[in-house]
Amino acid sequence: MTSATAAGAPSAPATPESRKSVTGTRRTVAALFLLPALVLLGALVVYPIGYSVIRSFLDRSGDSFAGFDNYKALFTDDGIRTALKNNIIWVVFAPTVSTALGLVFAVLTERVRWGTAFKLVVFMPMAISMLAAGIIFRLVYDQDPDKGVANAVWVGIHDTFAPSSAFPKAHPGRESPLKPDQGGFITKATVHTGESVALPLVGVAPDQMPKSAKRAVRAEAEPGKITGTAWQDFTRGRGVGKLGAVDPSEQGYAGMRIEAVKNGRVVASTKAAGDGTFTLPAAADGAQLRLPASNFTEPYNGVDWLGPALVTPAVIGAYVWMWAGFAMVLIAAGLAGVPRELLEAARVDGANEWQVFRRVTVPLLAPVLAVVTVTLMINVLKIFDLVFIIPPGSSQDDADVLALELYRKGFSEDQPGVASAIAVFLLLLVIPVMLFNIRRLRREVRR
């Protein structure tokens, strides 16, 4: 050992080959372990991105340079423009609503004993694949209230306040004294006191008559009044019963509304009894009797959730059902790290719960809320499964998004150049959001 070394003189700097990382692993060894991952990353990510960029500048055949023609189609093709508009709606509403619901759930479940069970139930849809969720909500949004849960609830609420008519299919039969009038029917001739008026109708199956309907009875004429009968003028069997006359097996139109109309103005009205009979006062003398359109209102079948007007909000609703639990779990984790003394100090200073939530809890959770929102924004930019499964063929064009349009152009319409341009465009939309998220995460780590 030399004197310089013995005196503690600095040794020669380590060569790059001998330099180790902070974990003690040589860089060459680390590179060897990372090499398989880098190869896969290049083969599955870098190469497809590069190929898509190149393909987006070629024509349909891939043999000739097309310049920016494929990118011009992004703003001139009607289908792509609709998809772009819907993507904007998705990016604005889906992450916002999911994050807001997640925040509400996370805050409220902290105050109940069964909060863990509630979180489990809300988070459970995340365990379901997008395909399965799409099939579930295709049934939920079914137009038939007997199949679709959404319309079953909606129809139940609607019919509670505005019940439909029991006679939507009723109409005059052969040789009827009635004629059509403003969605209803009116007598061809005027009526007078002391008469018994027959108002025969057909078209309602016996098993669809209201429960209050009874055997029809011919009303007796009364002086100074107009009487009559509204009934189902149909008896089963050939040669049984008489047209225009009340037969023993026929039923009255219970609850049928009858109006007396003079010069376009209703002067009297009444409802038929269970046996179809009705009575109008002397004021109806010389009037025509009208069965208004309200008697023939079709049953309310609910909302066309998957029609052109509501299909995109309906699909967003399915997405929120799946991802609100994801937002809730992340926000609840952030909420667990909020200093409780700050919340208690705000309450001691006289703040109510809403003020504590708005001025203390939300600002402290702002970094977590930003990460959740941005993550969901990246996710909805690539949404495909729900939009492909839930809307029927007649509404899929109205629910179109960029990922679905990419699939259509590439596989259904044989336009690989345009499909590649859409893919590159989606990448350009995602990159700034990803960079924002990465910078925020790094900033949080440095804190």
Side-chain angles (χ1 to χ4, degrees):
M1 182 182 294
T2 62
S3 58
T5 305
S11 59
T15 61
E17 290 77 9
S18 63
R19 189 174 300 159
K20 295 183 179 181
S21 69
V22 292
T23 61
T25 305
R26 293 183 182 277
R27 291 190 175 183
T28 52
V29 176
L32 288 175
F33 275 99
L34 289 174
L35 184 60
L38 293 174
V39 171
L40 286 175
L41 185 67
L44 300 179
V45 178
V46 178
Y47 172 74
I49 291 175
Y51 180 81
S52 296
V53 172
I54 295 172
R55 189 67 182 83
S56 67
F57 290 102
L58 301 179
D59 63 4
R60 176 175 295 188
S61 64
D63 298 328
S64 304
F65 182 70
F68 289 94
D69 290 347
N70 294 324
Y71 288 93
K72 290 179 183 177
L74 299 181
F75 305 99
T76 56
D77 185 278
D78 290 337
I80 300 177
R81 289 167 63 183
T82 300
L84 184 59
K85 179 195 71 175
N86 287 336
N87 262 104
I88 294 172
I89 295 173
W90 271 89
V91 169
V92 171
F93 290 101
T96 305
V97 176
S98 300
T99 304
L101 282 177
L103 174 61
V104 171
F105 291 156
V107 171
L108 293 182
T109 50
E110 272 206 329
R111 298 177 172 272
V112 293
R113 287 181 298 177
W114 40 269
T116 302
F118 180 83
K119 288 178 182 177
L120 179 63
V121 171
V122 175
F123 187 75
M124 196 176 294
M126 284 293 299
I128 303 174
S129 70
M130 286 277 196
L131 175 63
I135 295 172
I136 290 171
F137 273 86
R138 180 69 176 267
L139 296 174
V140 168
Y141 291 132
D142 196 287
Q143 179 70 36
D144 186 354
D146 293 331
K147 297 179 182 178
V149 176
N151 267 335
V153 174
W154 194 262
V155 168
I157 295 173
H158 176 274
D159 288 352
T160 300
F161 298 98
S164 58
S165 169
F167 318 111
K169 303 295 184 182
H171 61 275
R174 292 179 293 117
E175 303 176 18
S176 174
L178 296 166
K179 62 180 180 179
D181 179 73
Q182 300 178 9
F185 305 100
I186 194 169
T187 57
K188 299 174 182 176
T190 57
V191 298
H192 300 277
T193 55
E195 291 183 10
S196 179
V197 184
L199 300 178
L201 294 168
V202 296
V204 180
D207 59 347
Q208 294 180 353
M209 292 291 284
K211 293 181 180 180
S212 57
K214 301 177 182 178
R215 186 173 66 85
V217 175
R218 181 180 180 279
E220 298 294 334
E222 296 183 27
K225 296 180 181 179
I226 296 173
T227 59
T229 304
W231 82 100
Q232 172 80 355
D233 187 23
F234 176 78
T235 302
R236 293 190 179 188
R238 183 175 240 180
V240 179
K242 186 178 179 182
L243 188 65
V246 177
D247 298 315
S249 62
E250 295 172 345
Q251 292 180 301
Y253 279 122
M256 177 74 74
R257 185 173 181 80
I258 298 101
E259 297 176 342
V261 180
K262 283 184 181 180
N263 300 320
R265 187 169 62 90
V266 177
V267 295
S269 65
T270 187
K271 284 189 176 181
D275 58 7
T277 59
F278 61 88
T279 303
L280 288 166
D285 184 59
Q288 291 175 281
L289 298 190
R290 180 172 66 188
L291 305 178
S294 58
N295 289 315
F296 313 102
T297 304
E298 291 283 347
Y300 181 67
N301 290 319
V303 178
D304 188 8
W305 297 105
L306 299 181
L310 294 176
V311 62
T312 294
V315 181
I316 290 176
Y319 178 89
V320 170
W321 176 75
M322 291 192 66
W323 287 86
F326 167 81
M328 177 195 66
V329 170
L330 293 187
I331 295 170
L335 192 61
V338 172
R340 300 297 159 178
E341 56 271 17
L342 295 178
L343 304 179
E344 294 302 325
R347 294 187 181 100
V348 170
D349 289 341
N352 58 37
E353 290 302 319
W354 169 247
Q355 291 172 326
V356 171
F357 172 76
R358 186 165 58 92
R359 297 181 179 274
V360 181
T361 304
V362 172
L364 289 175
L365 288 175
V368 178
L369 296 176
V371 170
V372 171
T373 304
V374 172
T375 302
L376 293 179
M377 287 175 64
I378 296 173
N379 186 268
V380 300
L381 281 171
K382 304 176 293 179
I383 192 70
F384 169 81
D385 314 65
L386 293 178
V387 182
F388 184 72
I389 297 296
I390 296 178
S394 58
S395 298
Q396 201 169 72
D397 288 343
D398 300 286
D400 202 5
V401 290
L402 288 174
L404 178 59
E405 191 63 19
L406 186 157
Y407 170 81
R408 285 178 164 183
K409 296 295 185 188
F411 297 98
S412 299
E413 301 178 19
D414 191 26
Q415 298 185 46
V418 177
S420 298
I422 296 174
V424 174
F425 183 65
L426 271 175
L427 177 66
L428 294 177
L429 291 178
V430 170
I431 285 176
V433 184
M434 290 180 61
L435 292 177
F436 174 82
N437 216 14
I438 292 171
R439 289 182 59 187
R440 177 170 285 278
L441 288 173
R442 286 179 175 175
R443 197 179 304 125
E444 290 299 317
V445 170
R446 285 198 294 268
R447 289 180 182 177

